[in-house]
PDB file of all heavy atoms in Angstrom:
ATOM      1  N   LEU Z 283      26.621  -0.477  17.868  1.00 94.00           N
ATOM      2  CA  LEU Z 283      25.321  -1.041  18.227  1.00 94.00           C
ATOM      3  C   LEU Z 283      24.240  -0.534  17.268  1.00 94.00           C
ATOM      4  O   LEU Z 283      23.429  -1.313  16.756  1.00 94.00           O
ATOM      5  CB  LEU Z 283      24.982  -0.583  19.652  1.00 94.00           C
ATOM      6  CG  LEU Z 283      24.128  -1.521  20.496  1.00 94.00           C
ATOM      7  CD1 LEU Z 283      24.859  -2.842  20.675  1.00 94.00           C
ATOM      8  CD2 LEU Z 283      23.856  -0.886  21.857  1.00 94.00           C
ATOM      9  N   LEU Z 284      24.291   0.772  16.996  1.00 93.00           N
ATOM     10  CA  LEU Z 284      23.307   1.381  16.115  1.00 93.00           C
ATOM     11  C   LEU Z 284      23.388   0.781  14.709  1.00 93.00           C
ATOM     12  O   LEU Z 284      22.372   0.408  14.116  1.00 93.00           O
ATOM     13  CB  LEU Z 284      23.544   2.895  16.058  1.00 93.00           C
ATOM     14  CG  LEU Z 284      22.463   3.719  15.375  1.00 93.00           C
ATOM     15  CD1 LEU Z 284      21.127   3.526  16.059  1.00 93.00           C
ATOM     16  CD2 LEU Z 284      22.838   5.188  15.367  1.00 93.00           C
ATOM     17  N   LEU Z 285      24.628   0.647  14.197  1.00 92.00           N
ATOM     18  CA  LEU Z 285      24.800   0.078  12.860  1.00 92.00           C
ATOM     19  C   LEU Z 285      24.287  -1.361  12.824  1.00 92.00           C
ATOM     20  O   LEU Z 285      23.646  -1.788  11.867  1.00 92.00           O
ATOM     21  CB  LEU Z 285      26.275   0.132  12.444  1.00 92.00           C
ATOM     22  CG  LEU Z 285      26.841   1.537  12.209  1.00 92.00           C
ATOM     23  CD1 LEU Z 285      28.333   1.477  11.910  1.00 92.00           C
ATOM     24  CD2 LEU Z 285      26.108   2.233  11.069  1.00 92.00           C
ATOM     25  N   MET Z 286      24.573  -2.104  13.918  1.00 94.00           N
ATOM     26  CA  MET Z 286      24.138  -3.501  13.965  1.00 94.00           C
ATOM     27  C   MET Z 286      22.612  -3.605  13.987  1.00 94.00           C
ATOM     28  O   MET Z 286      22.021  -4.427  13.290  1.00 94.00           O
ATOM     29  CB  MET Z 286      24.733  -4.202  15.197  1.00 94.00           C
ATOM     30  CG  MET Z 286      26.085  -4.852  14.898  1.00 94.00           C
ATOM     31  SD  MET Z 286      27.055  -5.207  16.384  1.00 94.00           S
ATOM     32  CE  MET Z 286      25.888  -6.096  17.378  1.00 94.00           C
ATOM     33  N   ILE Z 287      21.994  -2.747  14.811  1.00 93.00           N
ATOM     34  CA  ILE Z 287      20.521  -2.782  14.901  1.00 93.00           C
ATOM     35  C   ILE Z 287      19.914  -2.435  13.537  1.00 93.00           C
ATOM     36  O   ILE Z 287      18.981  -3.096  13.076  1.00 93.00           O
ATOM     37  CB  ILE Z 287      20.012  -1.797  15.982  1.00 93.00           C
ATOM     38  CG1 ILE Z 287      20.421  -2.284  17.360  1.00 93.00           C
ATOM     39  CG2 ILE Z 287      18.492  -1.651  15.904  1.00 93.00           C
ATOM     40  CD1 ILE Z 287      20.138  -1.295  18.470  1.00 93.00           C
ATOM     41  N   ASN Z 288      20.476  -1.415  12.872  1.00 91.00           N
ATOM     42  CA  ASN Z 288      19.951  -1.027  11.568  1.00 91.00           C
ATOM     43  C   ASN Z 288      20.068  -2.150  10.555  1.00 91.00           C
ATOM     44  O   ASN Z 288      19.123  -2.436   9.813  1.00 91.00           O
ATOM     45  CB  ASN Z 288      20.675   0.212  11.044  1.00 91.00           C
ATOM     46  CG  ASN Z 288      20.311   1.448  11.838  1.00 91.00           C
ATOM     47  OD1 ASN Z 288      19.512   1.376  12.768  1.00 91.00           O
ATOM     48  ND2 ASN Z 288      20.902   2.568  11.495  1.00 91.00           N
ATOM     49  N   ALA Z 289      21.233  -2.797  10.517  1.00 92.00           N
ATOM     50  CA  ALA Z 289      21.438  -3.888   9.558  1.00 92.00           C
ATOM     51  C   ALA Z 289      20.474  -5.031   9.852  1.00 92.00           C
ATOM     52  O   ALA Z 289      19.845  -5.585   8.952  1.00 92.00           O
ATOM     53  CB  ALA Z 289      22.881  -4.372   9.629  1.00 92.00           C
ATOM     54  N   LEU Z 290      20.342  -5.345  11.138  1.00 92.00           N
ATOM     55  CA  LEU Z 290      19.467  -6.447  11.541  1.00 92.00           C
ATOM     56  C   LEU Z 290      18.015  -6.147  11.164  1.00 92.00           C
ATOM     57  O   LEU Z 290      17.289  -7.015  10.661  1.00 92.00           O
ATOM     58  CB  LEU Z 290      19.591  -6.655  13.051  1.00 92.00           C
ATOM     59  CG  LEU Z 290      19.024  -7.965  13.583  1.00 92.00           C
ATOM     60  CD1 LEU Z 290      19.901  -9.122  13.117  1.00 92.00           C
ATOM     61  CD2 LEU Z 290      18.936  -7.944  15.096  1.00 92.00           C
ATOM     62  N   THR Z 291      17.594  -4.888  11.384  1.00 91.00           N
ATOM     63  CA  THR Z 291      16.225  -4.501  11.054  1.00 91.00           C
ATOM     64  C   THR Z 291      15.957  -4.660   9.564  1.00 91.00           C
ATOM     65  O   THR Z 291      14.940  -5.225   9.159  1.00 91.00           O
ATOM     66  CB  THR Z 291      15.973  -3.030  11.440  1.00 91.00           C
ATOM     67  OG1 THR Z 291      16.434  -2.834  12.758  1.00 91.00           O
ATOM     68  CG2 THR Z 291      14.512  -2.685  11.350  1.00 91.00           C
ATOM     69  N   SER Z 292      16.888  -4.165   8.744  1.00 89.00           N
ATOM     70  CA  SER Z 292      16.709  -4.286   7.292  1.00 89.00           C
ATOM     71  C   SER Z 292      16.619  -5.751   6.897  1.00 89.00           C
ATOM     72  O   SER Z 292      15.799  -6.129   6.065  1.00 89.00           O
ATOM     73  CB  SER Z 292      17.885  -3.645   6.553  1.00 89.00           C
ATOM     74  OG  SER Z 292      18.043  -2.334   6.974  1.00 89.00           O
ATOM     75  N   TRP Z 293      17.473  -6.558   7.505  1.00 91.00           N
ATOM     76  CA  TRP Z 293      17.494  -7.979   7.158  1.00 91.00           C
ATOM     77  C   TRP Z 293      16.175  -8.657   7.543  1.00 91.00           C
ATOM     78  O   TRP Z 293      15.589  -9.381   6.747  1.00 91.00           O
ATOM     79  CB  TRP Z 293      18.677  -8.666   7.850  1.00 91.00           C
ATOM     80  CG  TRP Z 293      18.792 -10.108   7.497  1.00 91.00           C
ATOM     81  CD1 TRP Z 293      19.280 -10.638   6.347  1.00 91.00           C
ATOM     82  CD2 TRP Z 293      18.379 -11.213   8.313  1.00 91.00           C
ATOM     83  NE1 TRP Z 293      19.203 -12.009   6.380  1.00 91.00           N
ATOM     84  CE2 TRP Z 293      18.658 -12.392   7.562  1.00 91.00           C
ATOM     85  CE3 TRP Z 293      17.800 -11.330   9.580  1.00 91.00           C
ATOM     86  CZ2 TRP Z 293      18.375 -13.660   8.064  1.00 91.00           C
ATOM     87  CZ3 TRP Z 293      17.530 -12.592  10.066  1.00 91.00           C
ATOM     88  CH2 TRP Z 293      17.813 -13.741   9.318  1.00 91.00           C
ATOM     89  N   ILE Z 294      15.702  -8.370   8.760  1.00 90.00           N
ATOM     90  CA  ILE Z 294      14.439  -8.981   9.199  1.00 90.00           C
ATOM     91  C   ILE Z 294      13.293  -8.517   8.305  1.00 90.00           C
ATOM     92  O   ILE Z 294      12.464  -9.315   7.865  1.00 90.00           O
ATOM     93  CB  ILE Z 294      14.137  -8.621  10.681  1.00 90.00           C
ATOM     94  CG1 ILE Z 294      15.156  -9.309  11.584  1.00 90.00           C
ATOM     95  CG2 ILE Z 294      12.718  -9.029  11.064  1.00 90.00           C
ATOM     96  CD1 ILE Z 294      15.058  -8.910  13.043  1.00 90.00           C
TER      97      ILE Z 294
END
Side-chain angles (χ1 to χ4, degrees):
Chain Z
L283 210 61
L284 190 59
L285 292 175
M286 270 161 51
I287 292 172
N288 290 359
L290 195 70
T291 312
S292 305
W293 182 77
I294 292 174

